[in-house]
Amino acid sequence: IMPSEGGQVIDFAGNKMQAGGMRTWLMHSVRMRKHFVPALVLSAPVLFFFAIILLITTATAQKIKQLPPPPPGPRYKPKPTPTPEYEVIRISSNLVVVPVSVTDAQGQPVLGLKQSEFHIEEDGRAQEIAQLGDPEQVPLEIAILIDVSSSVSDKFAFEERAATRFITQVLRPMDRATVYAIDSTPRLEQARSTAEMAAAKLMSIKAANGPSPTAFYDTVIEAARYLTKNTPEQHRRVIVVISDGEDNYSNRVRNSAIAVYRVTQSDTDDASPAARKRMLAAWEAALQQGHQKAQAEVQQELQTANAVFYSINPSGQALRLNIISTRAQNAMQQLATATGGTAFVPDQPEDLDPLFARIANELRAQYLLQYYSNNKSAGAFRRIAVSTPAQPQVHVRAREGYYPKTK
């Protein structure tokens, strides 16, 4: 409120009033204050509420700005089209693969024969050879069976070293070896492994210190079954035995001996020489029968496994002086003939390395005849005959037959 000329008073709103009107103005101000204060009181909470909202909005905006950006959503990646795998040998239910060894008069492998130079029959019916496989492309699965019984203990160290050299020289990186000890029971010394591991295990095996029973047949049977179960069917399976082949403790041999013993013990009344002779004859006949049954079972297991059997008898030519030793060697020869292998009898321990080298050369030079059988018979053993009509002077060895796979 400002005084002006002429006694007038001007308020801040620019209204002119008479000086005498001061009281009137004051009364007017009081009335305005009465109306203004309640309005101010009512508007204060509203302003406070809007201030709080503004603060919260500002803080939230700051937090949102500080948060990292959201991760990108999942992106669809198409799966690549699988590349087909091709086998070296086409597998079929009636495909038969026959490893064939061809040697000259000196026992050396004959190389370079063509597919057309082979003739193969199954149960007397000619078969068409579909392919001549390359042995270098087919892995080897070799089981080494070394005799630890007392009958061969004097030559054991030499045999062990020769077998170790054979394993390290013949096996390639893709090949595998298994090691068994021929003892009172079959003993798996080294499961299927590389040449290095098998050789190391071979050198750690110890021979028996004293007389010990030998389960030769049972060990060969277990090795054949092991190869059947644990190696691919299209691989070449080979069993190499270093033993004299004598067996006195396999299941069939032991059971036959026990049966004869019980019979002889039950008939002890007659002690005459004639009775004793009859008992000995019965004993020998029962043992012979036990051996024959065991040999037949071994041969069947080898043929079921499609395994080639090789044996090296460290006894030398002295085995001919003993009936038991001769029978054992003849049994190993039969197993080798039936499976396409060879049974060697070295004259002296120093001949072991050359014999192992012959086996290695044969395995590298094998011909793999492949044909699709047209034989419709099921379950029965099928006989195979392989020949080379254009090369009659060579010696051909192949397995005698096989058992067809059941569907």
Side-chain angles (χ1 to χ4, degrees):
I1 302 172
M2 299 175 57
S4 63
E5 293 180 355
Q8 293 181 335
V9 178
I10 303 174
D11 62 8
F12 287 109
N15 299 319
K16 294 181 180 182
M17 295 180 296
Q18 296 295 325
M22 177 65 70
R23 185 180 301 120
T24 304
W25 180 82
L26 289 175
M27 292 176 63
H28 176 71
S29 297
V30 170
R31 283 195 302 270
M32 289 181 61
R33 192 180 304 158
K34 287 180 181 180
H35 292 289
F36 177 74
V37 171
L40 183 61
V41 172
L42 291 174
S43 62
V46 176
L47 294 175
F48 179 78
F49 177 75
F50 279 109
I52 292 297
I53 291 176
L54 181 61
L55 289 175
I56 292 174
T57 305
T58 304
T60 303
Q62 291 178 352
K63 289 182 179 180
I64 291 175
K65 290 180 180 180
Q66 293 174 359
L67 290 176
R75 308 176 85 182
Y76 173 75
K77 293 182 179 181
K79 294 183 179 180
T81 303
T83 303
E85 297 182 358
Y86 299 97
E87 294 284 346
V88 175
I89 299 175
R90 183 160 60 96
I91 303 302
S92 175
S93 58
N94 63 339
L95 175 65
V96 182
V97 182
V98 184
V100 179
S101 297
V102 183
T103 55
D104 58 19
Q106 288 72 40
Q108 297 302 314
V110 176
L111 305 177
L113 296 181
K114 299 178 181 179
Q115 178 176 323
S116 58
E117 296 182 81
F118 288 94
H119 177 78
I120 188 167
E121 294 182 357
E122 182 180 302
D123 286 344
R125 291 187 291 271
Q127 305 291 320
E128 181 182 355
I129 299 174
Q131 185 178 351
L132 202 61
D134 182 2
E136 292 299 318
Q137 300 298 323
V138 183
L140 278 170
E141 301 284 350
I142 297 182
I144 296 288
L145 280 56
I146 187 165
D147 197 334
V148 299
S149 65
S150 55
S151 61
V152 295
S153 58
D154 57 331
K155 308 177 185 69
F156 183 80
F158 200 91
E159 299 164 12
E160 196 174 45
R161 290 193 296 270
T164 301
R165 286 191 291 270
F166 168 73
I167 284 291
T168 55
Q169 291 171 8
V170 74
L171 261 65
R172 302 158 297 178
M174 65 178 176
D175 301 329
R176 292 294 179 266
T178 304
V179 179
Y180 273 90
I182 304 174
D183 206 346
S184 57
T185 58
R187 205 168 73 222
L188 177 61
E189 294 286 346
Q190 177 63 59
R192 182 174 181 262
S193 62
T194 61
E196 292 74 16
M197 294 182 65
K201 177 54 68 173
L202 265 173
M203 291 303 299
S204 69
I205 299 174
K206 305 299 181 184
N209 294 323
S212 59
T214 308
F216 173 82
Y217 301 131
D218 286 354
T219 307
V220 179
I221 288 173
E222 183 166 315
R225 290 175 178 172
Y226 181 90
L227 291 179
T228 300
K229 182 179 179 181
N230 297 282
T231 64
E233 186 178 352
Q234 60 267 36
H235 288 191
R236 289 185 292 161
R237 297 167 179 163
V238 179
I239 292 180
V240 179
V241 172
I242 308 151
S243 172
D244 57 12
E246 296 181 16
D247 190 306
N248 55 15
Y249 212 65
S250 285
N251 289 332
R252 289 193 178 277
V253 176
R254 187 174 67 251
N255 293 343
S256 297
I258 292 173
V260 173
Y261 175 78
R262 288 174 178 170
V263 171
T264 56
Q265 288 298 106
S266 63
D267 186 15
T268 57
D269 296 336
D270 190 352
S272 64
R276 181 174 177 80
K277 187 176 181 180
R278 287 196 303 270
M279 284 190 296
L280 290 175
W283 180 284
E284 180 60 30
L287 288 180
Q288 183 68 19
Q289 186 179 19
H291 279 279
Q292 290 174 352
K293 289 181 178 178
Q295 292 165 12
E297 186 176 356
V298 171
Q299 182 171 316
Q300 181 174 345
E301 291 293 343
L302 289 171
Q303 291 171 329
T304 300
N306 291 331
V308 181
F309 180 88
Y310 289 93
S311 66
I312 298 178
N313 190 338
S315 300
Q317 297 304 322
L319 65 88
R320 303 299 177 189
L321 304 176
N322 187 310
I323 295 177
I324 296 177
S325 299
T326 302
R327 179 179 60 194
Q329 176 59 29
N330 291 340
M332 290 195 294
Q333 181 61 62
Q334 172 56 35
L335 296 176
T337 301
T339 60
T342 306
F344 296 104
V345 182
D347 291 328
Q348 51 191 356
E350 290 74 17
D351 294 334
L352 287 176
D353 280 324
L355 292 181
F356 275 120
R358 282 187 60 179
I359 296 174
N361 291 336
E362 279 193 15
L363 294 176
R364 294 191 184 102
Q366 277 182 332
Y367 296 91
L368 301 181
L369 304 187
Q370 304 172 38
Y371 69 93
Y372 290 90
S373 173
N374 57 22
N375 198 333
K376 303 302 180 182
S377 62
F381 181 74
R382 299 176 179 179
R383 293 199 168 275
I384 294 174
V386 181
S387 61
T388 53
Q391 303 280 348
Q393 75 280 5
V394 301
H395 181 54
V396 179
R397 293 199 320 275
R399 53 191 168 113
E400 292 181 343
Y402 71 100
Y403 289 93
K405 302 298 179 182
T406 57
K407 297 182 180 180

